[in-house]
Amino acid sequence: MTLLTDKVILITGASTGIGADAARLFAREGAQVVLTARSEGLLAELSDEITAAGGTASHVAADVCNTDDVERVVKTVLERHGRLDGAFNNAGVGQASAKIADVDEEIFDHIFNVNVKGVWLAMRAEIRAMLEAGAPGSIVNTSSVGGLRGGRTLGAYSASKHAVIGLSRSAAQDYGPDGIRVNVLAPGTTDTPMIAGWRERGIIVHLDSVTPLRRSAQPIEVAEAAAWLLSDRASYVTGATFTVDGGMVA
Ligand SMILES: NC(=O)c1ccc[n+]([C@@H]2O[C@H](COP(=O)([O-])OP(=O)(O)OC[C@H]3O[C@@H](n4cnc5c(N)ncnc54)[C@H](OP(=O)(O)O)[C@@H]3O)[C@@H](O)[C@H]2O)c1
């Protein structure tokens, strides 16, 4: 028995990194996945790869900051599959290192648009679809260990990831009575394009040295936790923040 048999799951930020590995994993676990991000070419390649491996996948390109785009994505899922059982709201952007007083307003707004408004827009459309269907659902939003503590020279990113936890906990309170579970994934250092530049600057070596498991995660290790939270095996888990960080914040 696979973990996500027949579940229809939407994944945002599915073109690379954690989202792409989540797409592969969820499909192997029996889910019908719909992938979204802005990079249509990458999404098409990944859908083809999953389909060739025997899974069910399709894609729709969209910007998570754009209300019409996000609503169109959820509408497309319903047109293709008739329902939405789960969503992994994982799209996000990082921040170039800068102390709080040195962050440009435009950059601050962009980080909050993608990391906070994007998650809220996605949840809003997903929850409406789940409520309309009157069926239970599960949502997992990607925060970060940066959402659990201050981030030196990463303040805008850290604040945006704290906000993801606040939104998710509140949604868990609002929609628990409707059978919709909402949880948060808080990854630590994960080897993806987002932090590719950190290795040559020695930042990864430092982060690994202060991580109890003494290494970074592979994106599939983070995706595994998302799969469990989306599955019925996590049926009594909601409003939780699940760290997958090698013990970094322990
Ligand atoms: N890597 C880490 O160490 C780490 C640690 C903690 C938390 N996280 C979080 O994990 C999540 C996934 O990141 P990752 O590490 O896998 O990095 P990544 O490979 O850069 O993935 C980011 C994803 O978000 C999508 N995205 C960015 N802006 C978007 C927008 N405006 N509209 C739609 N999609 C957008 C990107 O796709 P397109 O560019 O194609 O749109 C991409 O698929 C993020 O929320 C990140 O903050 C990462």
Side-chain angles (χ1 to χ4, degrees), residues 59 86 149 161 173 192:
H59 68 276
R149 61 184 195 187
K161 292 300 187 178
Q173 300 258 8
T192 71

Coordinates of all heavy atoms in Angstrom, one line a residue, residues 59 86 149 161 173 192:
H59 N 0.9 19.6 -15.5 CA 1.5 20.8 -15.0 C 0.6 22.0 -15.5 O -0.1 21.9 -16.5 CB 2.9 21.0 -15.4 CG 3.1 21.2 -16.9 ND1 3.2 20.1 -17.7 CD2 3.2 22.3 -17.6 CE1 3.3 20.6 -19.0 NE2 3.4 21.9 -18.9
G86 N -5.1 17.3 -1.5 CA -4.0 17.8 -0.8 C -3.2 18.8 -1.5 O -3.3 18.9 -2.8
R149 N 13.3 31.1 14.3 CA 14.3 31.9 15.0 C 14.7 33.1 14.1 O 14.5 33.0 12.9 CB 15.4 31.1 15.5 CG 16.2 30.5 14.3 CD 17.3 29.6 14.8 NE 18.2 29.3 13.7 CZ 19.2 28.4 13.7 NH1 19.4 27.7 14.8 NH2 19.9 28.3 12.7
K161 N 9.0 33.7 6.7 CA 8.8 32.3 7.1 C 8.1 32.2 8.4 O 7.4 31.2 8.7 CB 10.1 31.5 7.0 CG 10.6 31.4 5.6 CD 9.7 30.6 4.7 CE 10.2 30.3 3.3 NZ 9.3 29.6 2.5
Q173 N -6.7 26.2 12.9 CA -7.8 26.5 13.8 C -9.1 26.7 13.1 O -10.2 26.2 13.5 CB -7.5 27.8 14.6 CG -6.2 27.7 15.4 CD -6.5 27.5 16.9 OE1 -7.6 27.3 17.3 NE2 -5.4 27.6 17.6
T192 N 19.6 22.6 -2.6 CA 18.8 22.9 -3.8 C 19.3 24.1 -4.5 O 20.2 24.8 -3.9 CB 17.3 23.2 -3.3 OG1 17.4 24.5 -2.7 CG2 16.7 22.2 -2.4

